[in-house]
Amino acid sequence: MDFIWILFAFVCGLGVKVLSLPPLIGYLLAGFVLHFIGVEPDAGLDTLADLGITLMLFTIGLKLHVKDLAKKEVWAGTLSHMSVWTILMASLALLLATVAIPYFTGLDWKAAALLGFALSFSSTVCIVKLLEESGEMKTRHGQLAIGVLVMQDIAAVVFLVFATGEIPSIWALGLFGLLFARPFLDALLNRAGHGELLPLTGFFLALGGYELFYLVGVKGDLGALIFGMLLSSHPKASELTKSLLSFKDIFLIGFFLSVGFTALPNWSMLGMAALLSLLIPLKFVMFFFLFTRLKLRGRTSYLSALALSNFSEFGLIVAALSVDSGWLSKEWLVILALAVSISFVLTSIIYRSAHAIYGRHKTHIRRHETPDRLPEDVFVQPRNAEILVIGLGRVGRGAFQSLHGMLGNRVWGMDADAIRIEQKRAAGMNVFFGDGEDADLWESLDLSSVKLVLLALPSIDDSVNISRQLRTAKYQGKVAAIARYEDEREQLLDNGIDNVFNFFTEAGTGFAEESLNLIGEKRPAS
């Protein structure tokens, strides 16, 4: 990447962060500014963007399970939304063509349908980035949104086959044999250890999956996703994901920059893109209605629909194919690039306040729920719980096991990762599934016997939000949390959390005290 790209990405990313906006908005802005001042992108930028998307899909696969795609709310919600949306948008485009609205004039039914289809997709890059930053990838609504994105990706593969006329090779049938390659992949990951070879193994598997699928005429990104899914049940899947996180984020900056290099707009194109962006609330309403009709809770439907309410980078691929085939004018490629960018900005800003908005309007949102509940949405009341550990990752799991050894069944654990909860239950632990930021959850639980809540969460914002939810639910006990840095510790204490454990500093203190015991020394009394 040329230094000028890094310079503009850094300045714009830092600038919007100072304004309390997500940095990706700055990266989008940097791309358009660089294009406007005449900077020419080279093949290196596209390579970085492709690497970022491939690694992102691989890490999505590491957190995804096949049975999640088989859920009715995922496949039925996706197919219903795409079908209805495409028909509505095609009809609207033809209506605008009849009244001679610029750029719509001359559209036939095929071009109108392609335009509607392009706008039916939601952005994998934008949504995954938002869910990762908010720590919601494994929550109920996060997994639903990811499942819908994967189903859309499958629809994209089918579209590309028919649009390009490139039928997959007969050798593509051999890809089903990858199911038998899982033991080999597991052994490979075990041998990689925990050092620099681990992220290199991730690169090898992600890019290897891409190339394998591409060689047999199937969309390469789907290969990276499938390889990730094959390793999703491996004990080191989470560690592998974390080892790739920084690489993925850096490479994805190339993607956001490349959006700005699509084409230079004029004012009429910008106005048309803004007009298309007015359709985003309709997209939200359609997703929300479909999810609630599929018996999902109002909160899950609301958060998933809000995350999915944007336009996708895949729309640019559909537009490019349509322009090359003569179905759409080249101006539509610019308009869609602008609409995608605007939708990224809107989603990034609005989703940051998603939980606060739900807290204010939860009564109205819950009115749209159906009387029946899906099994995953039934709340479990922890019996005789005096201490509740929220978040059962490495730190939370250690705290839970230590407290359980001392206090037995008076300690319960809660996590938003359903797979993790299943594993802990199978091991005989007192745990239950729940999202700590779910206001409905705390309203339904009896917390009168709980004396202490431990927030073992990586996100400071999540800990602050959960602390507020607890107080709103009239919880009278103590709250403790973890932090990595001193400024985070101060922020948590300022927000009313009773005790904060800095596990970098205090783990070192504990290590020193334990080690002194080896030579018979004890810590002096203070």
Side-chain angles (χ1 to χ4, degrees), residues 197-523:
L197 191 58
L198 183 62
L200 184 60
T201 302
F203 272 84
F204 167 72
L205 293 172
L207 297 176
Y210 183 101
E211 293 296 334
L212 179 61
F213 274 59
Y214 180 77
L215 284 173
V216 295
V218 181
K219 193 166 180 273
D221 289 335
L222 186 62
L225 177 72
I226 296 297
F227 266 59
M229 292 174 66
L230 290 172
L231 291 166
S232 61
S233 59
H234 194 283
K236 291 176 69 173
S238 178
E239 183 183 354
L240 178 59
T241 301
K242 291 176 182 176
S243 73
L244 294 172
L245 187 61
S246 296
F247 294 104
K248 173 178 66 68
D249 287 345
I250 290 294
F251 294 151
L252 280 177
I253 292 175
F255 166 78
F256 291 116
L257 287 173
S258 66
V259 172
F261 283 106
T262 304
L264 276 178
N266 55 37
W267 286 109
S268 64
M269 293 177 185
L270 185 60
M272 187 57 62
L275 182 64
L276 290 177
S277 299
L278 296 177
L279 298 172
I280 291 176
L282 176 61
K283 198 168 194 178
F284 165 79
V285 170
M286 287 177 60
F287 268 123
F288 179 77
F289 176 80
L290 286 169
F291 288 151
T292 52
R293 294 315 93 192
L294 290 167
K295 302 181 181 179
L296 286 160
R297 288 172 49 215
R299 178 180 182 272
T300 304
S301 303
Y302 157 76
L303 290 173
S304 301
L306 193 61
L308 291 164
S309 297
N310 46 56
F311 300 134
S312 171
E313 57 279 357
F314 183 75
L316 304 182
I317 299 174
V318 174
L321 282 172
S322 301
V323 169
D324 291 341
S325 302
W327 300 326
L328 286 174
S329 64
K330 61 182 181 180
E331 287 81 8
W332 275 110
L333 187 60
V334 186
I335 293 169
L336 287 179
L338 289 169
V340 168
S341 301
I342 293 171
S343 73
F344 283 5
V345 174
L346 293 176
T347 303
S348 300
I349 293 173
I350 296 173
Y351 195 80
R352 290 168 68 90
S353 305
H355 296 284
I357 295 171
Y358 178 79
R360 292 194 296 269
H361 302 285
K362 60 186 177 183
T363 302
H364 176 70
I365 291 172
R366 289 197 296 226
R367 285 179 189 155
H368 299 278
E369 295 178 343
T370 59
D372 299 329
R373 284 281 178 88
L374 296 173
E376 297 94 326
D377 293 331
V378 177
F379 294 128
V380 174
Q381 174 66 48
R383 299 182 303 277
N384 304 317
E386 294 183 12
I387 298 179
L388 183 59
V389 180
I390 300 177
L392 297 175
R394 284 181 294 180
V395 176
R397 181 174 66 249
F400 174 86
Q401 292 173 339
S402 179
L403 289 168
H404 190 270
M406 293 184 285
L407 302 175
N409 291 333
R410 289 185 290 166
V411 181
W412 279 72
M414 185 182 87
D415 199 278
D417 184 345
I419 302 298
R420 180 179 289 167
I421 289 298
E422 288 179 9
Q423 294 170 345
K424 303 303 180 190
R425 279 180 182 164
M429 298 183 180
N430 288 339
V431 296
F432 65 102
F433 173 78
D435 181 354
E437 294 189 85
D438 188 345
D440 300 346
L441 169 70
W442 298 119
E443 287 182 7
S444 70
L445 294 184
D446 179 8
L447 301 174
S448 58
S449 65
V450 179
K451 301 176 182 177
L452 174 63
V453 173
L454 275 66
L455 304 177
L457 302 167
S459 170
I460 300 302
D461 291 337
D462 288 351
S463 295
V464 170
N465 289 337
I466 293 173
S467 175
R468 291 172 180 167
Q469 296 280 8
L470 287 167
R471 302 306 179 193
T472 302
K474 310 300 182 186
Y475 171 67
Q476 301 297 317
K478 300 293 185 180
V479 179
I482 60 172
R484 292 170 294 179
Y485 309 106
E486 188 59 29
D487 60 325
E488 293 181 341
R489 181 176 181 274
E490 293 174 0
Q491 181 182 346
L492 290 170
L493 290 172
D494 290 342
N495 279 277
I497 292 177
D498 300 291
N499 184 53
V500 180
F501 180 89
N502 185 324
F503 59 82
F504 283 157
T505 302
E506 299 186 46
T509 303
F511 175 56
E513 292 178 0
E514 290 283 341
S515 300
L516 283 175
N517 291 332
L518 295 174
I519 58 174
E521 294 284 346
K522 296 190 182 231
R523 179 181 178 182

Side-chain angles (χ1 to χ4, degrees), residues 115-187:
L115 188 60
F117 182 67
L119 294 172
S120 71
F121 289 84
S122 301
S123 172
T124 302
V125 177
C126 179
I127 294 167
V128 170
K129 192 76 174 168
L130 288 178
L131 293 175
E132 283 183 340
E133 289 177 351
S134 56
E136 298 175 9
M137 281 288 288
K138 293 188 176 182
T139 60
R140 180 82 165 104
H141 61 274
Q143 287 292 288
L144 175 61
I146 294 299
V148 170
L149 291 171
V150 173
M151 289 299 298
Q152 289 182 350
D153 209 40
I154 294 172
V157 172
V158 175
F159 168 79
L160 289 174
V161 169
F162 284 99
T164 62
E166 296 178 3
I167 300 175
S169 164
I170 189 66
W171 295 104
L173 296 174
L175 295 175
F176 290 102
L178 288 173
L179 294 172
F180 302 102
R182 287 185 63 180
F184 169 75
L185 296 177
D186 288 347

